């Protein structure tokens, strides 16, 4: 891998409320950026996602310095944990990180040179606010990688319904977008939605990478799947994953005794899911809990098919869920129970089959369709999934590309609006 020999190593500050040991794409991508030729520092909070409890060994009220993978400096600022995920607690969680990163962050970084402030921005986009301040203090370029559209995400999750408040959020988002030097969108549909709000700030498509191979499929396997046709869903068990649809499909699949839906992960609806499975006597649904990221390749490799599901909404149809890359990398057929860009990607890659969001009958039919295929046909789909991943989502390839974008930004004149004092 090239290490930037033709250039002075670029100094990149990643600003993200979420980072290792929380499981987010930015973890592996930070290492890929360093390997591509950047010196990377991460400013983040204390890990508490998704369960809301601060991970063992951390204290949310403290400032902490540590190393990630022995090579990346990680600086953690105080914040309020998510707790049980109530509206009040989430607001405190989001705002405390914005305040700490914006007030304490510049002081903690006072001796560090920064060329680019790179904001990894899943919800909430508000975490880009300290990025604006830090880019101004450091005379650095500001690039925000938008993972969720606001205020559209607030509407789709039902978190905010008041129109006046949504209008205020929309104005805040426009202001944040227009104070960036570049906006990166995780899907092509996001580009179309973001450009009208971005003013003179350019918006480019930049997909989420996979997490690399991240584990050894031949090592001791953390979970052995039972014999049969195992459809595996792995990831957050939350409000937008259309878990009702998955359980309804399981009911429709009762007459296929070898079919099993395996749900791996945890989230805000874990307890609800356990109650529903018990009350409906869904013996063909297996809830395993969460496993470390390094264990997942060995588990996913055993799957007959991998499931990606989202609820029905305009904003979600514009999203490519981050777990899609993990599914493609696993080299197994993919079932896309969702609308829009994510489903189109699976079909375009020849990597699997698709059903409309929230359509349990169509999802059950997709499972039966794959189950009826020959082993050769299933293997062909899995190979297509892996090939598509390698060509489009390999972290090292995307990191090289992003570092080239950063160099073009810092070498040339600003194309976006001049940064003003926040």
């Amino acid at each position: 891998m090239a290490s930037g020999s033709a250039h002075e190593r670029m100094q990149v500050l990643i600003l993200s409320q979420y980072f290792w040991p929380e499981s987010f794409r930015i973890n592996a991508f930070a290492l890929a950026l360093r390997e591509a030729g950047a010196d990377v520092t991460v400013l983040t909070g204390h890990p508490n996602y998704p369960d809301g409890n601060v991970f063992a060994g951390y204290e949310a009220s403290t400032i902490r310095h540590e190393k990630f993978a022995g090579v990346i400096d990680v600086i953690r600022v105080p914040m309020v944990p998510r707790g049980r995920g109530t509206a009040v607690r989430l607001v405190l969680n989001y705002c405390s990180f914005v305040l700490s990163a914006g007030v304490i962050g510049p002081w903690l970084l006072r001796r560090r040179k920064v060329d680019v402030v790179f904001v990894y921005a899943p919800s909430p986009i508000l975490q880009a606010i300290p990025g604006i301040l830090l880019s101004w203090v450091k005379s650095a370029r500001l690039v925000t990688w938008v993972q969720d559209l606001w205020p559209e995400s607030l509407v789709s999750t039902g978190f905010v319904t008041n129109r006046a408040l949504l209008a205020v959020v929309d104005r805040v988002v426009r202001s944040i977008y227009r104070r960036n030097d570049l906006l990166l969108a995780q899907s092509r549909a996001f580009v179309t939605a973001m450009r009208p709000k971005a003013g003179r700030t350019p918006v480019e498509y930049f997909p989420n990478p996979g997490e690399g191979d991240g584990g050894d499929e031949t090592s001791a396997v953390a979970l052995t799947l039972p014999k049969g046709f195992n459809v595996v869903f792995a990831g957050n068990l939350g409000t937008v994953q259309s878990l009702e649809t998955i359980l309804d499909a399981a009911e429709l699949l009762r007459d296929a005794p070898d079919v099993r839906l395996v749900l791996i992960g945890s989230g805000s609806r874990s307890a609800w899911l356990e109650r529903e499975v018990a009350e409906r006597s869904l013996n063909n649904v297996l809830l395993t809990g969460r496993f470390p990221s390094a264990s997942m390749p060995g588990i996913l490799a055993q799957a007959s098919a991998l499931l990606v599901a989202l609820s029905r909404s305009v904003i979600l149809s514009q999203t490519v869920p981050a777990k899609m890359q993990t599914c493609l990398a696993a080299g197994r057929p993919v079932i896309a129970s969702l609308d829009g860009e994510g489903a189109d990607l699976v079909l375009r890659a020849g990597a699997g089959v698709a059903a409309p969001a929230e359509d349990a009958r169509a999802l059950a039919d997709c499972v039966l369709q794959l189950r009826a295929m020959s082993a050769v046909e299933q293997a062909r789909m899995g190979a297509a999934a892996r090939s598509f991943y390698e060509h489009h989502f390999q972290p090292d390839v995307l990191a090289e590309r992003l570092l080239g974008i950063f160099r073009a930004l810092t070498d040339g004149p600003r194309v976006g609006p001049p940064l003003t004092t926040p």
Side-chain angles (χ1 to χ4, degrees):
M1 175 70 66
S3 59
S5 58
H7 300 266
E8 180 183 350
R9 288 183 71 87
M10 178 159 289
Q11 307 300 307
V12 176
L13 171 66
I14 294 177
L15 174 64
S16 173
Q17 181 167 342
Y18 311 102
F19 194 70
W20 167 87
E22 295 165 316
S23 182
F24 282 85
R25 287 291 182 274
I26 194 62
N27 302 346
F29 200 57
L31 291 172
L33 275 175
R34 186 183 185 281
E35 191 68 19
D39 288 332
V40 178
T41 302
V42 177
L43 180 65
T44 187
H46 290 265
N48 67 111
Y49 182 91
D51 293 335
N53 300 314
V54 177
F55 286 28
Y58 292 87
E59 293 184 25
S61 61
T62 63
I63 295 170
R64 175 170 173 149
H65 296 258
E66 60 186 336
K67 288 279 189 182
F68 171 51
V71 293
I72 292 179
D73 289 331
V74 179
I75 303 172
R76 300 187 185 273
V77 295
M79 60 184 292
V80 177
R82 298 167 64 91
R84 294 183 178 179
T86 62
V88 171
R89 196 61 183 252
L90 286 176
V91 169
L92 289 174
N93 174 249
Y94 299 156
C95 292
S96 63
F97 176 74
V98 169
L99 184 63
S100 284
V103 174
I104 304 173
W107 181 77
L108 295 172
L109 295 161
R110 65 193 181 279
R111 294 191 178 93
R112 293 177 187 259
K113 181 179 182 293
V114 177
D115 296 313
V116 175
V117 177
F118 181 44
V119 181
Y120 176 70
S123 288
I125 188 65
L126 300 178
Q127 63 193 287
I129 293 174
I132 296 170
L133 176 61
L134 285 162
S135 66
W136 178 72
V137 169
K138 291 295 186 179
S139 299
R141 301 300 169 94
L142 176 62
V143 179
T144 297
W145 194 7
V146 177
Q147 303 292 314
D148 288 309
L149 295 179
W150 272 43
E152 294 90 338
S153 289
L154 297 176
V155 175
S156 68
T157 59
F159 192 77
V160 176
T161 58
N162 183 280
R163 291 187 178 183
L165 181 54
L166 290 170
V168 171
V169 173
D170 185 72
R171 287 196 292 272
V172 171
V173 170
R174 289 173 184 267
S175 179
I176 290 172
Y177 282 179
R178 296 177 186 203
R179 283 171 170 77
N180 276 262
D181 292 284
L182 174 65
L183 294 167
L184 300 177
Q186 64 106 306
S187 78
R188 289 183 172 87
F190 273 28
V191 175
T192 303
M194 291 166 59
R195 276 182 176 154
K197 300 181 181 183
R200 289 186 293 152
T201 303
V203 183
E204 296 184 15
Y205 167 62
F206 192 84
N208 279 312
E211 293 180 297
D213 291 324
D216 182 1
E217 294 178 9
T218 63
S219 62
V221 178
L223 172 69
T224 300
L225 299 181
K227 291 182 179 181
F229 193 85
N230 292 296
V231 179
V232 175
F233 175 98
N236 183 44
L237 303 176
T239 57
V240 301
Q241 277 71 41
S242 197
L243 299 176
E244 295 90 346
T245 305
I246 297 174
L247 297 189
D248 290 346
E251 288 204 70
L252 295 170
L253 291 165
R254 288 183 192 272
D255 294 335
D258 62 324
V259 171
R260 188 175 296 99
L261 300 181
V262 183
L263 277 61
I264 301 173
S266 61
S268 61
R269 304 200 72 191
S270 292
W272 173 88
L273 200 55
E274 291 175 4
R275 289 195 303 270
E276 285 290 307
V277 169
E279 289 175 7
R280 298 199 206 183
S281 298
L282 293 174
N283 297 323
N284 57 350
V285 175
L286 176 62
L287 305 177
T288 70
R290 189 172 58 186
F291 289 88
S293 296
S295 301
M296 292 311 298
I299 298 173
L300 299 184
Q302 304 172 59
S304 307
L306 300 173
L307 172 61
V308 182
L310 288 177
S311 302
R312 179 181 296 134
S313 78
V314 173
I315 175 62
L316 293 176
S317 72
Q318 298 172 323
T319 301
V320 177
K323 74 177 68 176
M324 183 68 76
Q325 284 84 335
T326 300
C327 293
L328 294 172
R332 307 301 300 148
V334 178
I335 301 174
S337 176
L338 42 82
D339 297 327
E341 190 155 341
D344 291 343
L345 186 153
V346 170
L347 297 177
R348 188 169 71 248
V353 294
E358 299 185 4
D359 189 333
R361 178 74 266 175
L363 172 55
D365 288 344
C366 282
V367 173
L368 295 176
Q369 179 186 347
L370 281 180
R371 172 174 165 263
M373 288 182 180
S374 68
V376 172
E377 291 174 302
Q378 293 175 12
R380 187 181 297 119
M381 276 188 171
R386 179 67 194 186
S387 176
F388 196 86
Y389 168 81
E390 290 175 347
H391 283 87
H392 297 277
F393 301 124
Q394 276 281 16
D396 53 354
V397 173
L398 288 174
E400 289 277 7
R401 177 183 158 199
L402 184 60
L403 203 54
I405 292 171
F406 288 169
R407 288 185 179 125
L409 272 180
T410 56
D411 291 345
R414 276 205 158 100
V415 293
L419 289 173
T420 54
T421 305

